[in-house]
Amino acid sequence: MDDEHTILIVDDVEINAMLLEEILKPDYTTVSAGNGREALEKLRAARRLPKIILLDIRMPEMDGREFFETLKADPKFGRIPVIFITAENDSESELLAAGAVDFIYKPFHPEIVRLRVRNQIELKNYSDNLEAMVEEKTAEATKTLENALEGLANVIEYRNLESGEHVRRTQLYVRAICRDLIESGSVYAESLIKLQPETIMRSMALHDIGKISIPDSILLKPGRLDANEYETMKTHTVQGARIIGGLGDVNSSLYLRHCRDICLCHHERWDGGGYPNQLKGDEIPLVARIASVADVYDALVSVRVYKKAVDCKETLKIIADGSGSQFDPAIVASLLNIHASFEEIARTYK
Amino acid sequence: LPLSLPKTIIAPNLEVRMTDGELYVDFLDGVKRVMNKPGTYVRMLAKFRDAPGIDGLEAALVSGDRERVQDEAHRMKGLAANLSLPALRDFCLELETRAKNETNFGDAPENLKAVFVATLREIDRIIAENG
């Protein structure tokens, strides 16, 4: 099944399949299978899926109904249109309800067969084109939203009197940790693949978006914050999650879900002593545990209005000391494993 | 009918009704179904002649299994309709209908064989006429 205009004919009566081939061969390439099982084998081996399937109902081994159910349940094959080859007394309404697109009746009328097949293929092409357009537009809209949000994150960073590279550096730290956790076959490898490391990295840009709600007098204060000011500063986590929640449904967008989790939980501690919800261990979303290590590393090695930069060796020691108390031990182990990459990122994006 | 037969194909007697009044092979209808290509139609008739035929249906009738008779009759009815074999198609349709309510098919096996043999005889004649 290499041709893009291939039709799969599934009929145990060879002469019926030959008749359909004869009728359709001026316009299409046809492939035949004698029962549902053989048809599935041909589909699984196909380099290109057929445009449409013409399916007889009564067949030995795997009949048309069973094949159709198997096909519809398979995400790869479920969208191939199926026209049933039928006699007058087969249950049309039941098959239409199950997803059949049309029927070809015996005896075959060549012109009608050709028109029904052509119409369904045109409809499928139209629907495929529409879907591709929707996907393209959705990707464009998503990219625009992400760019706008990253721009906003940079604005907040500048307001924080930082260089604008903090966002970039923390994103790269997160990506480096994700890669190492996957490539080293850590306990988080499988989860991280599902969570999509590139999406986690993009989400990291917004980890401090909630700081937009913090007054300048606190955000830009050169000295230590007093207890009240610190409480206000801590609200940037909840405010960030609230801002992300206002952008769309976090349950239907992995990107927004990561943004929310990172904003809300990147100051939680492995031992439950963090904020805002005192989550502990695995209760803290994995993306936030990674973000926490990346954020603290960058805070330590960078100059801030209230502190000097700590050198990389000392930074590693501080984080290693926090393993199992402030940080997830597996993530700290990963940092220690790839600290040279972190140092390179810190040097490159000063 | 807009049908022109190529010279290499000898036109058979286009509608031969047997002495019993039955039409066993509707040649014109069959040729139309294969995009007006008589040679292709004759090849398909030959394929039908050489296929297992009515063995399955005969066995089902003898067993008295209604569901099996319905299935086999339905299958043969569709094939006969597609090959423009009206007598066989009609007989299978009648069998399929009867099998919905009856289990005793009486002399149906003999009658089926008679229709089938007459159909094959007519197919043989057409094939012979077309070399």
Side-chain angles (χ1 to χ4, degrees):
Chain A
M1 268 185 269
D2 294 344
D3 197 298
E4 68 169 315
H5 297 295
T6 300
I7 294 172
L8 175 61
I9 299 167
V10 192
D11 197 323
D12 63 316
V13 181
E14 197 186 349
I15 291 172
N16 287 340
M18 283 169 65
L19 277 168
L20 286 171
E21 283 169 17
E22 201 59 45
I23 292 167
L24 295 166
K25 77 178 179 192
D27 304 310
Y28 308 99
T29 304
T30 56
V31 173
S32 293
N35 59 57
R37 203 170 308 285
E38 191 188 327
L40 277 178
E41 279 165 19
K42 289 199 169 173
L43 282 175
R44 285 177 186 138
R47 284 202 302 153
R48 298 183 83 139
L49 294 180
K51 276 281 174 194
I52 203 160
I53 297 173
L54 308 184
L55 178 63
D56 188 25
I57 298 173
R58 299 181 193 208
M59 288 182 291
E61 286 199 54
M62 182 189 270
D63 71 9
R65 282 189 173 82
E66 193 185 344
F67 170 73
F68 187 59
E69 279 169 20
T70 310
L71 198 75
K72 288 289 151 193
D74 190 315
K76 191 175 169 198
F77 308 134
R79 295 194 63 255
I80 306 171
V82 175
I83 295 181
F84 274 93
I85 303 164
T86 180
E88 71 286 347
N89 57 352
D90 286 313
S91 38
E92 282 184 23
S93 58
E94 180 203 329
L95 293 170
L96 281 171
V101 295
D102 207 345
F103 296 90
I104 288 174
Y105 299 94
K106 293 176 214 164
F108 304 146
H109 295 279
E111 200 51 33
I112 292 174
V113 168
R114 283 212 307 266
L115 286 171
R116 285 183 192 269
V117 166
R118 191 196 70 186
N119 288 348
Q120 289 305 330
I121 287 180
E122 278 181 3
L123 204 60
K124 175 73 167 57
N125 287 342
Y126 180 69
S127 141
D128 286 348
N129 288 341
L130 268 184
E131 257 176 43
M133 275 168 62
V134 168
E135 265 175 32
E136 193 184 319
K137 293 289 169 196
T138 305
E140 265 177 36
T142 306
K143 189 73 199 154
T144 306
L145 173 69
E146 287 175 14
N147 288 343
L149 290 175
E150 285 191 27
L152 182 59
N154 284 328
V155 168
I156 293 157
E157 202 174 328
Y158 281 116
R159 180 173 165 243
N160 206 11
L161 301 181
E162 285 170 10
S163 66
E165 295 292 357
H166 169 65
V167 163
R168 186 70 190 145
R169 286 192 303 269
T170 50
Q171 283 185 306
L172 293 173
Y173 296 147
V174 162
R175 179 158 72 182
I177 292 175
C178 288
R179 276 187 185 164
D180 180 64
L181 287 171
I182 291 170
E183 285 166 10
S184 66
S186 76
V187 287
Y188 297 138
E190 208 173 305
S191 310
L192 276 173
I193 290 167
K194 285 182 192 154
L195 293 171
Q196 300 176 3
E198 288 303 307
T199 308
I200 302 172
M201 186 191 88
R202 284 187 282 118
S203 310
M204 186 62 193
L206 298 176
H207 67 281
D208 274 339
I209 198 169
K211 283 187 177 170
I212 203 160
S213 66
I214 306 299
D216 282 353
S217 59
I218 297 173
L219 190 68
L220 306 179
K221 186 175 176 179
R224 286 186 74 84
L225 301 178
D226 67 29
N228 284 339
E229 288 167 338
Y230 186 53
E231 285 307 309
T232 303
M233 183 58 114
K234 281 158 67 175
T235 62
H236 82 275
T237 51
V238 178
Q239 293 296 349
R242 201 168 288 158
I243 291 167
I244 299 298
L247 295 174
D249 181 6
V250 292
N251 294 317
S252 61
S253 159
L254 187 63
Y255 171 67
L256 289 181
R257 182 153 65 89
H258 288 343
C259 287
R260 190 268 320 266
D261 288 347
I262 290 173
C263 282
L264 187 63
C265 303
H266 72 285
H267 286 290
E268 298 287 0
R269 288 172 56 105
W270 183 252
D271 59 11
Y275 65 88
N277 294 314
Q278 292 78 52
L279 300 180
K280 193 175 178 180
D282 291 345
E283 291 171 355
I284 307 164
L286 177 58
V287 292
R289 279 179 266 150
I290 294 170
S292 168
V293 171
D295 191 36
V296 170
Y297 181 93
D298 197 61
L300 288 170
V301 297
S302 305
V303 178
R304 293 282 162 90
V305 286
Y306 53 86
K307 71 169 225 7
K308 289 179 182 172
V310 177
D311 72 50
C312 289
K313 202 172 167 189
E314 180 61 17
T315 299
L316 286 181
K317 186 178 179 309
I318 293 169
I319 292 178
D321 287 347
S323 177
S325 51
Q326 185 170 355
F327 305 113
D328 180 335
I331 296 168
V332 173
S334 171
L335 165 62
L336 296 176
N337 189 37
I338 55 165
H339 68 89
S341 309
F342 269 54
E343 286 159 21
E344 177 65 27
I345 292 165
R347 268 196 304 276
T348 309
Y349 299 94
K350 262 189 181 166
Chain B
L1 285 168
L3 172 66
S4 61
L5 298 173
K7 284 179 185 162
T8 52
I9 299 288
I10 302 162
N13 188 349
L14 291 179
E15 186 176 306
V16 178
R17 286 186 185 273
M18 307 307 277
T19 47
D20 57 7
E22 287 286 359
L23 177 63
Y24 290 99
V25 179
D26 188 340
F27 190 85
L28 285 181
D29 188 61
V31 170
K32 256 170 63 184
R33 189 156 297 114
V34 288
M35 320 299 290
N36 296 332
K37 288 186 262 187
T40 303
Y41 181 53
V42 171
R43 268 202 310 279
M44 288 196 179
L45 288 178
K47 193 152 191 77
F48 176 78
R49 182 193 59 184
D50 299 336
I54 53 167
D55 297 355
L57 181 52
E58 270 186 311
L61 284 169
V62 171
S63 75
D65 181 337
R66 283 168 45 196
E67 204 172 314
R68 230 177 108 196
V69 172
Q70 267 191 66
D71 269 355
E72 292 286 347
H74 178 86
R75 187 170 179 274
M76 183 55 72
K77 179 191 73 181
L79 176 57
N82 263 339
L83 274 181
S84 302
L85 311 174
L88 186 59
R89 176 202 62 205
D90 293 347
F91 192 82
C92 289
L93 172 62
E94 192 190 324
L95 273 182
E96 190 186 1
T97 311
R98 274 176 68 184
K100 284 175 186 165
N101 307 305
E102 297 173 30
T103 49
N104 183 1
F105 297 101
D107 54 3
E110 291 76 36
N111 292 341
L112 169 67
K113 198 161 207 159
V115 173
F116 186 65
V117 167
T119 302
L120 287 188
R121 198 178 302 129
E122 180 62 0
I123 288 173
D124 280 340
R125 187 186 64 78
I126 290 170
I127 291 169
E129 280 182 11
N130 287 281

